[in-house]
Amino acid sequence: MPDTEIYTGGFADPAVASAHAFRAAMDVMARPGEIREITGGSAPEGLSQAAASLILTLADPETGLFLAPDVDSAALRGWITFHTGAPIVPATKADFAVGGWDALMPLEQYRIGTSEYPDRSATLIVESPAFEAPNATLRGPGIKEHARMYLPDVTLMQRNAMLYPLGVDVFFTSGSEIAALPRSTRIQPEG
């Protein structure tokens, strides 16, 4: 990516696009397992449109962002700095972390909050080429009876859920689509 490309992209109409993206992010977090379209942001090389829209919406100069090795680049760092002002930080200090599942591991490196401040935990933005066939059944807040979703590691996500009200929350992104798994969700493997 040439240096000038860090200035391109972002939201064409920031007020409207960020409101729509924020609504989509909150909707999927409130309804685990649902997949929604999240559009409006032009993605830099290395990120999906959904992940770029989340970063443009949720990151600011006060939110530390960790870039996993599979997405980290000088050009992406420049794009994030220009569009959001978010500092790039180590995983242990991240408010948000973005990358592929394997590159984001181990999960234990992220903040899970404290008993006094459970909201001081990290949120992962997990990039994948596509949403795969469901391998887990979800129950809990925001789910009428149950929902089904693909999780890269069902056992690890079950352990994360057992930490509730602590733990990490996860957005899954692919292309222009987004889904979420809040830490409050109870998870059962299928099959």
Side-chain angles (χ1 to χ4, degrees), residues 169-190:
D169 296 315
V170 184
F171 284 110
F172 294 95
T173 57
S174 180
S176 62
E177 294 182 319
I178 182 175
L181 184 68
R183 66 189 105 169
S184 59
T185 305
R186 295 185 312 276
I187 303 159
Q188 286 296 121
E190 292 190 349

Side-chain angles (χ1 to χ4, degrees), residues 104-177:
L104 287 168
M105 293 301 110
L107 195 60
E108 296 76 24
Q109 68 185 323
Y110 301 102
R111 294 180 298 131
I112 61 169
T114 65
S115 55
E116 296 84 22
Y117 300 102
D119 59 321
R120 293 185 181 167
S121 62
T123 299
L124 276 55
I125 301 170
V126 178
E127 289 270 67
S128 55
F131 287 112
E132 298 184 37
N135 64 352
T137 301
L138 313 178
R139 289 184 171 78
I143 302 170
K144 189 170 182 176
E145 291 179 22
H146 70 275
R148 299 175 67 228
M149 182 177 194
Y150 174 81
L151 299 176
D153 188 329
V154 174
T155 303
L156 186 58
M157 290 290 83
Q158 286 177 310
R159 285 199 308 261
N160 181 64
M162 287 191 278
L163 299 172
Y164 183 78
L166 306 180
V168 300
D169 296 315
V170 184
F171 284 110
F172 294 95
T173 57
S174 180
S176 62
E177 294 182 319

Side-chain angles (χ1 to χ4, degrees), residues 54-65:
L54 279 174
I55 290 169
L56 290 169
T57 303
L58 302 175
D60 62 34
E62 303 299 315
T63 54
L65 183 63

Side-chain angles (χ1 to χ4, degrees), residues 72-103:
D72 192 4
S73 70
L76 181 55
R77 287 171 178 252
W79 185 88
I80 289 167
T81 300
F82 177 76
H83 289 284
T84 70
I88 306 301
V89 299
T92 56
K93 297 183 185 288
D95 296 300
F96 294 97
V98 64
W101 179 261
D102 290 337

Side-chain angles (χ1 to χ4, degrees), residues 17-35:
S18 63
H20 286 291
F22 185 77
R23 176 64 187 256
M26 294 304 101
D27 282 350
V28 295
M29 196 57 79
R31 294 174 184 86
E34 284 191 17
I35 298 172

